[in-house]
Amino acid sequence: MGTHKELDSLKLQLLKDFLLNKNKLSSYIVQGFPTHKRTLFDIITSTLNDDNDDGDEMNVFIRFERQVRSKIKNFTEVTVLDMTDKDFKIHFRLTRESIEILIFNLGPLLSNSKFKCSIEKQILVFTWYMANCETHRQIANRFNLSDSTSHGIIINCLLQLNTLNRVFIKWPSGQRAIETMEKFHALRQTSFPNVIGAVDGCHIAILAPWEKRSVMPKLDRNMFYNRKQVPSVLLQGIVNADQIFIDVFAGWPGSSHDARVFRKSTIGQNILENHGSILPPNCHILGDGAYPLTEKIMVPYKDNGHLTQNQKNFNKILSSSRVVVEQAFGKLIGRFRKLKYISH
């Protein structure tokens, strides 16, 4: 950085600028010595420690040093408001109307949170996290928050949203069940009759868990690796003809079989043990070959190479109706891209 004489001169100038005008120091560092900020900080720190008994100036400078990292200003207040409806949906993967619904339902639950930013901003932060594969550091930088605040907002929104799962995910009954069956019947020119839903499982890739002393119980990491040797957890979903989820069950490790997950789920136990008490008479759900064939669960014939034409037609019609659940999972992961890989 120069000779000792130049360093002494620089120390005096920086100290003078700092004591007389704290704001001037910021521009001095950024414009004059952008690559030596760390060295300048060390110089002023040592100078203040040696020559100044009052710690107020030092505390102010330390706070300044912590805030040096630049962030995007007014992203929520200006940029988001200026977005067209099309751009808004491209970035947040939801329409403004859907965000308003989240604000209406989540607002009362988030109003007592410890975060100082508005409820609207908290929900936008959470939606951005789910819609984009960005780290907490990147999200904090975009929304002008600290990393810890970004993380806390997202975790809090997830927990509160989970308490509202039955508000958004409802099993059809009564007239709604009849309407659901009618919509399945109208899906294709030749549709599978008396269908109330289609079930399937989806693997959500995760970072393989590890044991932490006194934090996590002992577990076998290998049980989270699925048949493709990717660590994952299973998400079981049942959807209606409109590709809307009417039941979800998640959390089992990736090595689990779809049939076992179904047997352990609440909806599966109800259908298998109580003989479909929640299903209307002569009604059933559709599954693929991984699920057990019962009176209330219709699955395709196993293709052993010797299927009759009638059996092939049966499989084709069943598949054409059951495909809605695969389409729903595709839209879910395409919209909330964080579900492609959850690392934290």
Side-chain angles (χ1 to χ4, degrees):
M1 286 197 53
T3 63
H4 291 291
K5 186 175 181 180
E6 292 173 337
L7 286 175
D8 291 337
S9 176
L10 178 61
K11 287 167 62 177
L12 292 175
Q13 181 63 42
L14 288 174
L15 181 59
K16 181 179 178 180
D17 290 343
F18 174 66
L19 294 177
L20 296 180
N21 187 355
K22 275 81 174 180
N23 294 331
K24 187 176 180 181
L25 179 62
S26 176
S27 61
Y28 189 84
I29 289 178
V30 174
Q31 298 175 9
F33 300 90
T35 60
H36 303 294
K37 179 168 67 68
R38 184 71 255 175
T39 304
L40 296 178
F41 175 67
D42 293 338
I43 291 173
I44 296 181
T45 302
S46 61
T47 302
L48 290 175
N49 285 336
D50 294 340
D51 302 334
N52 187 18
D53 294 333
D54 190 353
D56 292 342
E57 290 83 357
M58 184 60 191
N59 292 333
V60 172
F61 185 79
I62 291 176
R63 288 197 298 271
F64 163 77
E65 168 66 11
R66 289 175 178 172
Q67 297 172 359
V68 164
R69 197 175 78 188
S70 62
K71 296 180 182 291
I72 298 175
K73 305 296 183 182
N74 299 321
F75 178 74
T76 306
E77 296 77 4
V78 177
T79 307
V80 173
L81 293 179
D82 289 342
M83 289 180 181
T84 64
D85 291 343
K86 181 178 180 180
D87 287 338
F88 184 90
K89 187 174 181 180
I90 288 174
H91 289 294
F92 287 93
R93 312 299 294 172
L94 290 175
T95 62
R96 295 184 191 272
E97 290 75 15
S98 297
I99 295 295
E100 291 175 358
I101 293 174
L102 282 177
I103 293 174
F104 176 80
N105 287 277
L106 274 179
L109 300 176
L110 299 178
S111 59
N112 296 326
S113 64
K114 61 182 179 180
F115 308 107
K116 296 181 179 179
C117 58
S118 66
I119 293 174
E120 292 79 4
K121 187 171 184 177
Q122 293 182 47
I123 291 178
L124 287 176
V125 169
F126 168 69
T127 307
W128 188 277
Y129 171 81
M130 294 301 300
N132 301 277
C133 297
E134 289 190 358
T135 63
H136 290 295
R137 174 180 56 80
Q138 293 171 311
I139 295 174
N141 178 71
R142 181 178 300 277
F143 287 91
N144 195 21
L145 301 169
S146 67
D147 295 3
S148 59
T149 300
S150 169
H151 178 269
I153 288 174
I154 292 166
I155 295 299
N156 186 46
C157 285
L158 281 171
L159 293 175
Q160 300 302 334
L161 187 62
N162 189 51
T163 63
L164 298 176
N165 61 349
R166 292 306 172 191
V167 175
F168 300 103
I169 304 174
K170 298 179 180 180
W171 186 262
S173 59
Q175 184 60 32
R176 288 186 59 198
I178 296 175
E179 293 174 356
T180 300
M181 289 188 288
E182 291 175 349
K183 288 183 177 181
F184 265 107
H185 185 72
L187 269 180
R188 307 285 184 266
Q189 187 174 0
T190 304
S191 300
F192 208 92
N194 300 332
V195 178
I196 197 171
V199 61
D200 200 3
C202 176
H203 288 266
I204 307 297
I206 62 169
L207 182 66
W210 63 91
E211 292 182 23
K212 294 182 179 179
R213 292 181 181 177
S214 72
V215 176
M216 289 182 63
K218 291 185 177 181
L219 51 81
D220 182 9
R221 293 184 65 189
N222 293 326
M223 68 182 179
F224 285 89
Y225 287 85
N226 57 32
R227 58 187 177 83
K228 296 182 179 179
Q229 295 304 304
V230 175
S232 65
V233 293
L234 272 167
L235 167 62
Q236 175 186 279
I238 302 177
V239 304
N240 61 18
D242 295 323
Q243 301 175 22
I244 297 174
F245 286 90
I246 57 178
D247 185 82
V248 293
F249 180 73
W252 275 67
S255 63
S256 305
H257 195 276
D258 285 349
R260 185 184 183 193
V261 175
F262 183 78
R263 288 196 302 269
K264 296 298 182 180
S265 65
T266 303
I267 193 72
Q269 292 176 357
N270 194 303
I271 292 175
L272 297 176
E273 297 177 7
N274 297 334
H275 306 290
S277 60
I278 64 173
L279 299 179
N282 300 320
C283 181
H284 39 257
I285 62 176
L286 303 180
D288 59 18
Y291 293 93
L293 174 64
T294 70
E295 185 180 347
K296 297 298 182 180
I297 306 174
M298 293 290 108
V299 299
Y301 287 97
K302 295 187 182 299
D303 190 355
N304 55 10
H306 302 284
L307 295 182
T308 65
Q309 189 59 46
N310 287 338
Q311 291 172 335
K312 291 180 180 179
N313 291 338
F314 177 93
N315 286 357
K316 182 178 180 180
I317 295 174
L318 185 148
S319 178
S320 68
S321 297
R322 195 195 66 85
V323 73
V324 292
V325 67
E326 297 179 358
Q327 294 170 339
F329 275 125
K331 290 182 177 180
L332 176 69
I333 297 178
R335 174 167 291 181
F336 301 114
R337 297 174 185 177
K338 193 64 182 178
L339 297 178
K340 289 185 176 180
Y341 177 69
I342 299 179
S343 58
H344 52 278

